[in-house]
């Protein structure tokens, strides 16, 4: 039993809460490791059953961070000294209510959900069994997702290493041409985000992602034959179009296997791959750029060729490695599959208990135009898109120009690539620590904002420190500290998913958020101009302004969600219990527009 102090307030409103339709109190799901429940007959006691609408409300809570707390599920009742065991059980497994289980079984059947035959409301398992399954998922699913992200980052990020080997001079281009190439890539990447997500939902990410990797790898290989500005811009555009949408696609695939509480941590692993890739490609570049002159080629041509072949191999293997779902891991080349029947039961049912709506679409089902339009006009997610546009700009130009800056400081081509490694290594540590801190504190806004607080003094120094460039090692140390910033992207992706509060909306909102990030990256390429080099004083002063503006957007977003939750509370508390019941039964509103949903912040 849980001893909870009595509360005299008529309603307890929590971030990310859903409301009890009868008592008018907020149901706060205090989430722990998703423990299995014994069957009712095994417990020898009566369970208090909630309504179907209450149990459905439980499922709305647990996205992105689950309920975000590290305690057990507890239902807080106004005036009660403890939560009823039945409510706690329903929080862990809403399908213990037979009416809820029957309703969702019908939903899964109508949607032809691929795992519907494994759905079992009364399935039980031990914590040790679940830990073993999660470990297997990490090795089989999460690890390969990181490998595929490695292939993305290799082919979209190796341009920075290529320019350190005089690519611009060899092709007769300047800094502005380099900026234009980055802009063309990012605009193409942005435009492909949403279409790619729609294609992935129709074909299935297990089919579309390997196709993407193979196609962009072929284009990446062709970069070894660049002849000038036109071919440079053409390959940049094609890479952007083929790589766009990959990240939302892979997040969709991961969501098939992980609960909402587990997903943010796996996303943090996912984005540490970005830094790991930077380290690996820096070492590769150190070796491959030494091939300058071999076959009459510049070292950067060998770089594009070899790294493109590596990512093409990843794409080909992905066709055979990626299963469509937990129940579809068996094939002619993998006759035993990844999981035993027992493990499949655990994988499927723990995900559905965490979020029953994950089965209301099958993995080859397209998003309808109506659902797409509803997601596009959901203005409550626009503050998060605004953060996506602005939050990552302050560190982008210094990162993009790192190798050029190091060359201008007098470092050799080979030392330049090695000197970029410390920032990447530190970036891994700060990213993981930031994500863990957000989970521990159950706080998104202030924790994510640490990224811009970190970068602010660095861009101020770049703008006004008189020894920038003049002091080579001091400038290197300053830029390294700046690029070691704690990356908040994993928090924002999960935050967007949480506040979308609907499976179809999550697919679209993930793409829209990533599009906003790419739009910010496009803007960042206009900050440093050729006429402003080598000190980029004007550009760095603009970065200071943008950094301060980003902090303001974070704070405004938190204030907006607090206001929206209070607004919903007033309407909800003005309704009688009967009106609340009727609302939950008859409302056509979905996602974050529902009155019984509270925004996370």
């Amino acid at each position: 039993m849980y001893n909870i102090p009595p509360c005299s307030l008529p309603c307890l409103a929590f971030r990310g809460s859903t409301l009890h339709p009868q008592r008018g109190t907020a149901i706060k799901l205090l989430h722990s490791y998703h423990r299995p429940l014994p069957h009712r007959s095994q417990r020898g006691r009566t369970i208090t059953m909630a309504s179907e609408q209450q149990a459905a409300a439980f499922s709305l809570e647990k996205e992105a961070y689950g309920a975000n707390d590290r305690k057990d599920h507890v239902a807080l009742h106004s005036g009660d000294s403890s939560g009823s065991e039945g409510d706690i059980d329903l929080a862990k497994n809403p399908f213990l209510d037979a009416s809820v289980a029957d309703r969702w079984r019908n939903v899964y059947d109508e949607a032809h959900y691929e795992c519907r035959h494994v759905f079992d409301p009364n399935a039980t398992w031990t914590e040790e069994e679940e830990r073993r399954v999660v470990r297997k998922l990490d090795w089989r699913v999460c690890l390969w997702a990181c490998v595929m992200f490695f292939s993305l980052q290799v082919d979209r990020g190796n341009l920075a290493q290529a320019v350190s080997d005089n690519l611009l001079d060899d092709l007769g281009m300047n800094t502005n041409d380099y900026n234009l190439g980055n802009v063309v890539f990012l605009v193409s990447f942005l435009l492909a985000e949403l279409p790619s997500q729609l294609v992935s939902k129709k074909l299935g990410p297990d089919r579309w992602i390997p196709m993407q990797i193979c196609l962009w790898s072929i284009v990446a290989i062709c970069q070894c034959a660049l002849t000038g500005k036109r071919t440079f811009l053409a390959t940049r555009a094609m890479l952007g179009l083929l790589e766009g949408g990959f990240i939302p696609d892979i997040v969709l695939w991961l969501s098939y296997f992980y609960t909402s509480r587990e997903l943010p941590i796996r996303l943090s692993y996912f984005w540490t791959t970005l830094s790991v890739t930077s380290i690996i490609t820096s070492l590769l570049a150190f070796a491959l750029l030494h091939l300058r002159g071999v076959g009459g080629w510049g070292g950067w041509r060998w770089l594009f060729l070899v790294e493109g072949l590596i990512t093409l191999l990843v794409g080909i293997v992905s066709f055979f490695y990626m299963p469509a779902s937990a129940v579809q891991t068996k094939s002619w080349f993998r006759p035993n599959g990844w999981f035993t029947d027992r493990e499949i039961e655990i994988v499927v049912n723990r995900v559905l208990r965490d979020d029953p709506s994950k089965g209301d679409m099958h993995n080859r089902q397209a998003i309808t135009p109506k659902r797409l339009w509803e997601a596009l006009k959901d203005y409550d997610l626009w503050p998060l898109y605004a953060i996506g546009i602005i939050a990552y700009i302050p560190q982008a130009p210094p990162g993009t120009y790192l190798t050029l800056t190091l060359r201008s400081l007098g470092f050799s081509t080979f030392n330049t690539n090695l000197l970029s490694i410390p920032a990447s290594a530190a970036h891994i540590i700060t990213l993981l620590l930031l994500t863990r801190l957000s989970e521990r504190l159950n706080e998104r806004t202030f924790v994510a904002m640490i990224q811009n607080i970190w970068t602010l003094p660095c861009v101020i120094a770049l703008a006004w420190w008189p020894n920038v460039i003049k002091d080579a090692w001091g400038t290197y140390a300053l830029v390294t500290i700046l690029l070691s910033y704690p990356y908040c992207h994993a928090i924002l992706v999960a935050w967007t998913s949480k506040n979308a509060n609907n499976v179809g909306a999550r697919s679209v909102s993930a793409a829209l958020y990533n599009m906003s990030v790419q739009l910010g990256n496009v803007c960042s390429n206009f900050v440093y101009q050729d006429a402003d080099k080598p000190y980029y004083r004007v550009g760095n002063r603009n970065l200071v302004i943008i950094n301060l503006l980003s902090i303001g957007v974070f704070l405004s977003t938190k204030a907006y969600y607090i206001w929206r939750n209070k607004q919903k509370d007033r309407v909800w508390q003005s309704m009688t219990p009967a009106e609340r019941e009727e609302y939950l039964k008859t409302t056509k509103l979905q996602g974050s527009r529902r009155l019984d949903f509270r925004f996370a912040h």
Side-chain angles (χ1 to χ4, degrees), residues 290-310:
H290 274 90
L291 295 176
R292 171 168 278 273
V294 175
W297 276 14
W300 57 268
R301 295 186 188 274
W302 288 106
L303 181 77
F304 285 138
L305 175 62
V306 174
E307 292 187 347
L309 289 171
I310 292 173

Side-chain angles (χ1 to χ4, degrees), residues 402-469:
L402 176 60
T403 53
L404 291 176
T405 300
L406 292 175
R407 287 300 305 277
S408 71
L409 293 174
F411 295 108
S412 70
T413 297
F414 311 111
N415 288 338
T416 289
N417 286 288
L418 293 178
L419 287 171
S420 65
I421 292 176
S424 298
H427 191 262
I428 294 172
I429 298 171
T430 57
L431 166 61
L432 293 174
L433 289 177
L434 190 76
T435 308
R436 293 285 184 179
L437 180 64
S438 178
E439 180 194 23
R440 180 174 293 274
L441 298 181
N442 183 27
E443 173 59 47
R444 295 167 179 80
T445 309
F446 294 138
V447 173
M449 196 171 65
I450 291 175
Q451 173 180 298
N452 289 125
I453 295 173
W454 178 294
T455 58
L456 180 59
C458 296
V459 293
I460 289 175
L462 287 174
W464 284 286
W465 183 41
N467 290 327
V468 169
I469 302 297

Side-chain angles (χ1 to χ4, degrees), residues 445-564:
T445 309
F446 294 138
V447 173
M449 196 171 65
I450 291 175
Q451 173 180 298
N452 289 125
I453 295 173
W454 178 294
T455 58
L456 180 59
C458 296
V459 293
I460 289 175
L462 287 174
W464 284 286
W465 183 41
N467 290 327
V468 169
I469 302 297
K470 299 175 184 177
D471 182 347
W473 285 106
T475 302
Y476 167 71
L478 176 59
V479 175
T480 298
I481 293 172
L482 168 61
L483 298 181
S484 301
Y485 66 95
Y487 195 34
C488 66
H489 197 39
I491 297 173
L492 264 295
V493 169
W495 189 0
T496 303
S497 179
K498 167 70 183 79
N499 282 356
N501 194 41
N502 176 271
V503 171
R506 285 173 195 142
S507 297
V508 178
S509 65
L512 292 176
Y513 167 74
N514 217 44
M515 289 173 67
S516 71
V517 174
Q518 300 309 321
L519 180 59
N521 288 334
V522 171
C523 297
S524 71
N525 280 278
F526 294 98
V527 175
Y528 284 179
Q529 294 295 315
D530 197 59
D532 196 25
K533 69 179 186 182
Y535 301 104
Y536 299 109
R537 297 294 189 187
V538 174
N540 287 323
R541 291 189 188 110
N542 289 333
L543 290 180
V544 173
I545 297 172
I546 293 170
N547 202 316
L548 292 171
L549 182 60
S550 179
I551 293 174
V553 172
F554 269 110
L555 296 175
S556 298
T557 298
K558 189 173 187 69
Y560 175 77
Y561 284 137
I562 291 174
W563 172 73
R564 285 287 284 134

Side-chain angles (χ1 to χ4, degrees), residues 108 115 150 190 266 269 278 332 341 416 439 471 550 561:
Y108 301 154
C115 301
F150 165 81
L190 184 154
R266 272 67 193 179
Y269 300 155
S278 297
W332 63 267
D341 291 342
T416 289
E439 180 194 23
D471 182 347
S550 179
Y561 284 137

Side-chain angles (χ1 to χ4, degrees), residues 205-273:
D206 57 297
R207 295 174 177 172
W208 177 236
I209 291 173
M211 291 173 61
Q212 283 181 288
I213 299 174
C214 290
L215 290 171
W216 84 54
S217 296
I218 293 171
V219 175
I221 292 171
C222 292
Q223 291 179 112
C224 72
L226 293 178
T227 58
K229 182 177 177 180
R230 288 185 177 180
T231 53
F232 172 71
L233 295 178
T235 54
R236 288 286 99 192
M238 292 177 67
L239 282 174
L241 290 172
L242 293 171
E243 292 177 357
F246 171 83
I247 293 175
D249 296 340
I250 205 74
V251 172
L252 174 65
W253 185 64
L254 286 171
S255 70
Y256 294 161
F257 301 94
Y258 288 104
T259 66
S260 55
R261 179 180 178 272
E262 295 161 350
L263 188 57
I265 300 302
R266 272 67 193 179
L267 291 179
S268 70
Y269 300 155
F270 183 66
W271 270 289
T272 58
T273 308

Side-chain angles (χ1 to χ4, degrees), residues 52 95 97-109 119 121:
E52 174 181 347
F95 303 125
D97 184 333
S99 62
V100 173
D102 290 341
R103 172 180 176 270
W104 281 107
R105 184 178 284 107
N106 291 334
V107 169
Y108 301 154
D109 288 340
F119 173 57

Side-chain angles (χ1 to χ4, degrees), residues 375 378 381-390 496 508-509 512-513 516:
D378 187 355
L381 294 179
W382 292 357
L384 296 177
Y385 303 153
I387 292 175
I389 292 173
I390 197 170
T496 303
V508 178
S509 65
L512 292 176
Y513 167 74
S516 71

